[in-house]
């Protein structure tokens, strides 16, 4: 029962963060791999499925409030799709430990950037 409540809490917290647009799915990935014992590859798949409905429910509010730059939308979507297809293909060929280290390094760089950003 305790594990179920922790999973519900993790889902609620990451849902709130996803609504703000600050990477709730990334935190869900950390929870699943570090605390729930889910493999990196499985957690990535769950994260991809989590992202779709989370983004779909948050996007209308961001559009309404003018937080989406429409001119950048098509280029960002096109390049994002192409790059995600390429890296998904590459990720299937990489060892799980390499993926874990790359993801950890990415989080450290982003965290340090946010921590020391001015203004």
């Amino acid at each position: 029962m305790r594990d179920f409540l922790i999973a519900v809490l993790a889902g609620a917290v990451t849902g709130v963060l996803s609504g703000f647009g600050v990477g709730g799915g990334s935190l869900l990935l950390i929870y699943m791999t570090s605390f729930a014992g889910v493999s990196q590859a499985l957690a990535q798949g769950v994260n991809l499925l989590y992202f779709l409905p989370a983004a779909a429910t948050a996007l209308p509010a961001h559009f309404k409030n003018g937080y989406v730059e429409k001119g950048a939308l098509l280029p960002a979507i096109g390049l994002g799709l192409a790059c995600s297809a390429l890296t998904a293909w590459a990720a299937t060929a990489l060892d799980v430990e390499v993926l874990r280290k790359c993801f950890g390094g990415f989080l450290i760089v982003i965290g340090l950037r946010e921590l020391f950003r001015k203004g």
Side-chain angles (χ1 to χ4, degrees):
M1 181 66 169
R2 181 177 172 257
D3 290 341
F4 176 76
L5 291 176
I6 291 172
V8 167
L9 181 63
V13 169
T14 57
V16 168
L17 293 173
S18 292
F20 289 137
V22 293
S26 296
L27 294 176
L28 183 63
L29 191 62
I30 293 169
Y31 162 74
M32 288 188 296
T33 57
S34 299
F35 301 106
V38 176
S39 73
Q40 181 80 22
L42 181 59
Q44 286 172 220
V46 170
N47 186 40
L48 290 172
L49 289 173
Y50 167 85
F51 174 76
L52 294 171
T57 56
L59 196 56
H62 287 279
F63 261 115
K64 179 183 170 211
N65 292 319
Y67 296 145
V68 177
E69 188 176 329
K70 292 176 181 91
L73 215 52
L74 287 179
I77 290 171
L79 218 54
L81 288 173
C83 289
S84 67
L86 263 172
T87 53
W89 173 77
T92 59
L94 290 175
D95 181 48
V96 172
E97 285 303 311
V98 173
L99 288 175
R100 187 179 301 248
K101 289 177 182 177
C102 288
F103 182 66
F106 168 75
L107 291 177
I108 289 170
V109 168
I110 296 300
L112 289 171
R113 183 173 172 246
E114 288 298 313
L115 189 61
F116 295 110
R117 181 171 48 159
K118 294 182 175 140

